[in-house]
Amino acid sequence: MRYFFIIYALLAVLVVSIGGFRGEKFKQTPIRIFPDMDEQDRIDPQEGSDFFHDGLGARQPVQSTLPQGLEPADLADENTKTFTNDNSYYHTGMFDENVFGNGLPVEELGLNEENLPAFIKRGKVAFNSNCAICHGVSGNGKGVVASYGVPGVFNLIDSTLPDGGMYDVIVNGRGNMAAFGYQIDVKDRWAIIAYLRALQYARKAPLEQVKDAYEASAAK
Ligand code: HEC
């Protein structure tokens, strides 16, 4: 067995010394043991393309669609191709630079008492499909992934972050948690936070606050 490891180590050194040092310039055709996707059928930034009738490689956004997380610069112009992402609380979770705010941006989300339950349900769908795998369906940090040994998955029921802080974690990620800014649009991020608050409330609300509702549902 020992010889096997020695031969294995020598072979590894050999492979690395032949294949690994590729940094110098030379004129001969290189020996390509690892092609590293050197040649790709792709269009670089600013490059033209014969494929499209206008000769441009980069495409304009499809009419009436929005890039994820951005808003049209001019709401009145349906065909606008300019999109912005301002520094508002709605887009950053911060009131000032580096100060996380608390509360949902009710106005931007167009929330009222009637549509709030639907909004929270929307958050539930987004939470269950994006977050529950790690944080668990109840948010307790015991999702499927955690049971396979990913350490430190946070119990969101105990989270003391303000809403803006949660928003920031969703957009930019933290530690072992990836950023979700590209997958989840602005409205759904806030919906997830609303749902998380509902989950926390379901576990932690003081008895007096939920007593009536509990008794009413138990009597049914
Ligand atoms: C890959 C597993 C994974 C997924 C998926 C995931 N998280 Fe996390 N999350 C973590 C881990 C791990 C931490 C702890 C990060 C740290 O601080 O090191 C964390 C931390 C957090 C925190 C910070 C809690 C606090 O009080 O500090 C929030 C909020 C959070 N996650 C929300 C979400 C939401 C919302 C989603 C879905 C959009 C999500 N997470 C998806 C693994 C995950």
Side-chain angles (χ1 to χ4, degrees):
M1 202 61 189
R2 190 166 10 126
Y3 291 111
F4 172 78
F5 281 119
I6 293 172
I7 292 169
Y8 185 81
L10 285 176
L11 266 179
V13 170
L14 197 69
V15 168
V16 171
S17 50
I18 294 177
F21 300 101
R22 306 168 63 241
E24 281 162 43
K25 283 191 179 172
F26 50 88
K27 291 197 174 134
Q28 303 91 314
T29 315
I31 309 166
R32 283 203 275 183
I33 297 170
F34 307 115
D36 283 347
M37 300 203 289
D38 285 347
E39 275 155 43
Q40 295 175 29
D41 213 2
R42 62 150 203 243
I43 298 170
D44 287 325
Q46 312 279 332
E47 198 178 302
S49 162
D50 300 333
F51 185 78
F52 298 108
H53 66 90
D54 58 5
L56 299 176
R59 309 316 301 151
Q60 298 287 348
V62 176
Q63 194 173 340
S64 305
T65 61
L66 274 180
Q68 184 85 271
L70 301 188
E71 305 281 338
D74 179 4
L75 277 176
D77 178 6
E78 267 182 34
N79 297 322
T80 182
K81 298 221 165 74
T82 317
F83 303 96
T84 58
N85 183 355
D86 58 28
N87 293 331
S88 64
Y89 178 60
Y90 178 60
H91 278 121
T92 61
M94 289 184 226
F95 282 128
D96 277 321
E97 239 170 80
N98 297 330
V99 181
F100 291 122
N102 217 349
L104 294 176
V106 176
E107 216 169 276
E108 289 88 339
L109 293 167
L111 292 181
N112 53 39
E113 266 181 42
E114 253 164 52
N115 62 21
L116 187 64
F119 184 71
I120 294 176
K121 276 198 185 134
R122 180 180 173 150
K124 179 178 181 179
V125 173
F127 179 85
N128 284 346
S129 44
N130 291 292
C131 325
I133 185 167
C134 288
H135 289 288
V137 178
S138 70
N140 65 359
K142 298 195 177 133
V144 180
V145 164
S147 68
Y148 280 91
V150 171
V153 177
F154 212 89
N155 177 349
L156 297 178
I157 305 301
D158 291 338
S159 174
T160 51
L161 283 179
D163 296 340
M166 287 192 167
Y167 183 90
D168 186 68
V169 174
I170 295 175
V171 178
N172 299 313
R174 167 121 75 72
N176 277 344
M177 177 180 152
F180 281 80
Y182 288 105
Q183 282 100 308
I184 302 177
D185 75 9
V186 182
K187 200 165 182 184
D188 283 348
R189 297 171 199 162
W190 289 111
I192 289 176
I193 294 166
Y195 179 62
L196 274 177
R197 292 301 180 212
L199 284 180
Q200 289 183 331
Y201 201 64
R203 289 292 166 107
K204 294 210 152 167
L207 181 62
E208 312 86 65
Q209 278 184 31
V210 288
K211 204 163 168 246
D212 292 347
Y214 174 73
E215 279 168 3
S217 71
K220 263 182 205 165

